[in-house]
Amino acid sequence: MVTMGHGDLDQIVQHDEWPRPDPAPGEVLVKVGACGLNNTDVNTRLGWYSKSVTGATNTSAGTPAEEDPSWGGAPIGFPRIQGADACGEIVAVGTGVSDARIGERVITDNWLRDPTDPLNKEKTGYFGSERDGGFAEYTTMPSQNAVAITSDLSDAELATFSCSYSTAEGMLTRANVTAKDTVLVPGASGGVGGAVVQLAKRRGARVIALASEAKHADVAALGADRVLPRAPDDLHAALADERITVVADVVGGPYWATLIDVLARGGRYTCSGAIAGPMVELDLRTFYLRDLTLLGSTVIDPIVMPNLIGYIEAGEIRPALAATYQLSELRAAQTAFVAKKHTGNIVVVP
């Protein structure tokens, strides 16, 4: 399923005769068993990352400025096979990669790093954005981005982890969340939000989740200590005596100032998305008089993905698979994803 350019769902086109890629030196060829959907797929297709777009995610088709429509601020090449969360089996390797890797079950580490300068965030790309991804029967990637995993989970279940859970763990790592914290999670029914709930609980933190009432039972099952309505009119009163030390947010939008206002003195706000809108209003007095720290989180630290693999293999976190579609139904899958009626992650399978 190939994205032909920025725009609406009609830009996603099925190509039955698209050539199978060959692994270049240092790369592997993966037969895809499943690939998860994420906001990144939709945002990139729409060009929502452009600073010319000020509305919520999913509302900006066809409007991006030419110079900055991707997450990294530079144009991406079309046609492009999107899909970051691939799970599958290595079936061939390029020169320089051991044949012993053939047959390994893998999931993707989505961050494409310069092997000579892996800590340099300016030299990163994203799987399914700066190179073709997993919305296909086969995909190639650098060998280091195909991370071996041993698990009884299905391909569809494993395909929920790479983007959502690494994003969530990256946010919590950057905010240095520990068992001493109480974490407030807006949008807790989404892929990243639900992952934040599980991963913060794994760290021993207390978790207060915000979600629509219809999804409260699902969010509670992820481990949240309390689940509140999505946007209480009086959040201070709803929180009662809770002392919020961290807000882990991918929502943004009009409610943002309310989230900042409930942070305790010295609290941290960590953000990796703005699905309700990127334009927010901040009272700088709240920021500096309360000694707050604002932490953007996009390019994760290299240690995050190995840690995440360990958590999965140890059974410390679990997938939240909401629905599975055929790859040929990718448009319908994205329509359901954008509607946000689900809890967790949506996946396509070839």
Side-chain angles (χ1 to χ4, degrees):
M1 297 297 287
V2 185
T3 303
M4 305 305 293
H6 293 299
D8 287 318
L9 286 167
D10 59 3
Q11 290 290 343
I12 302 173
V13 179
Q14 183 171 347
H15 286 265
D16 293 330
E17 303 302 323
W18 198 266
R20 194 191 79 175
D22 293 318
E27 295 184 350
V28 298
L29 175 67
V30 174
K31 183 177 182 180
V32 178
C35 189
L37 275 63
N38 289 286
N39 282 309
T40 298
D41 305 316
V42 179
N43 293 344
T44 297
R45 171 173 56 78
L46 292 175
W48 179 83
Y49 292 115
S50 172
K51 289 188 181 295
S52 67
V53 176
T54 60
T57 299
N58 313 323
T59 62
S60 53
T63 62
E66 291 295 326
E67 67 273 11
D68 69 337
S70 74
W71 73 271
I76 66 171
F78 292 106
R80 173 68 70 222
I81 299 171
Q82 293 186 277
D85 279 18
C87 171
E89 178 185 339
I90 295 177
V91 294
V93 297
T95 58
V97 181
S98 171
D99 288 344
R101 294 217 64 186
I102 295 175
E104 284 185 0
R105 195 180 192 202
V106 297
I107 63 175
T108 46
D109 176 351
N110 298 330
W111 285 105
L112 308 168
R113 304 177 193 270
D114 184 335
T116 67
D117 195 9
L119 299 182
N120 190 335
K121 292 180 175 60
E122 298 289 348
K123 296 181 178 180
T124 54
Y126 203 68
F127 185 67
S129 178
E130 280 61 50
R131 69 175 291 153
D132 286 343
F135 290 150
E137 292 179 88
Y138 293 88
T139 188
T140 59
M141 66 191 74
S143 179
Q144 64 266 25
N145 289 92
V147 186
I149 188 164
T150 301
S151 173
D152 292 331
L153 295 173
S154 69
D155 287 345
E157 289 171 323
L158 286 177
T160 65
F161 286 114
S162 290
C163 181
S164 293
Y165 286 69
S166 68
T167 297
E169 181 69 2
M171 294 166 69
L172 298 174
T173 299
R174 196 149 294 170
N176 193 27
V177 170
T178 71
K180 297 179 181 179
D181 286 305
T182 296
V183 183
L184 181 66
V185 186
S189 64
V192 177
V196 169
V197 171
Q198 287 196 59
L199 289 162
K201 288 302 299 178
R202 185 199 161 273
R203 291 167 176 253
R206 180 170 173 80
V207 175
I208 314 298
L210 302 180
S212 60
E213 284 83 348
K215 301 177 181 179
H216 278 199
D218 291 337
V219 174
L222 296 174
D225 295 284
R226 292 180 62 191
V227 187
L228 302 177
R230 180 172 59 186
D233 291 336
D234 188 340
L235 184 55
H236 278 284
L239 289 169
D241 295 327
E242 303 283 359
R243 182 177 184 272
I244 304 300
T245 59
V246 176
V247 172
D249 186 26
V250 294
V251 178
Y255 203 65
W256 188 86
T258 302
L259 301 174
I260 296 298
D261 197 49
V262 299
L263 269 171
R265 186 176 299 280
R268 293 99 74 201
Y269 170 86
T270 178
C271 177
S272 190
I275 61 174
M279 310 308 292
V280 298
E281 184 173 284
L282 171 64
D283 185 334
L284 284 173
R285 292 165 295 189
T286 302
F287 174 52
Y288 79 83
L289 290 174
R290 301 243 298 273
D291 297 292
L292 303 181
T293 300
L294 306 185
L295 298 155
S297 182
T298 293
V299 182
I300 61 176
D301 295 338
I303 194 61
V304 167
M305 199 64 193
N307 285 346
L308 188 62
I309 294 292
Y311 307 158
I312 297 167
E313 293 185 336
E316 296 175 357
I317 55 175
R318 61 183 180 85
L321 179 60
T324 302
Y325 289 75
Q326 293 296 306
L327 177 60
S328 59
E329 301 173 314
L330 179 58
R331 291 186 188 180
Q334 281 205 4
T335 299
F337 178 86
V338 168
K340 303 296 183 189
K341 303 294 185 183
H342 62 287
T343 299
N345 301 78
I346 292 175
V347 168
V348 294
V349 296

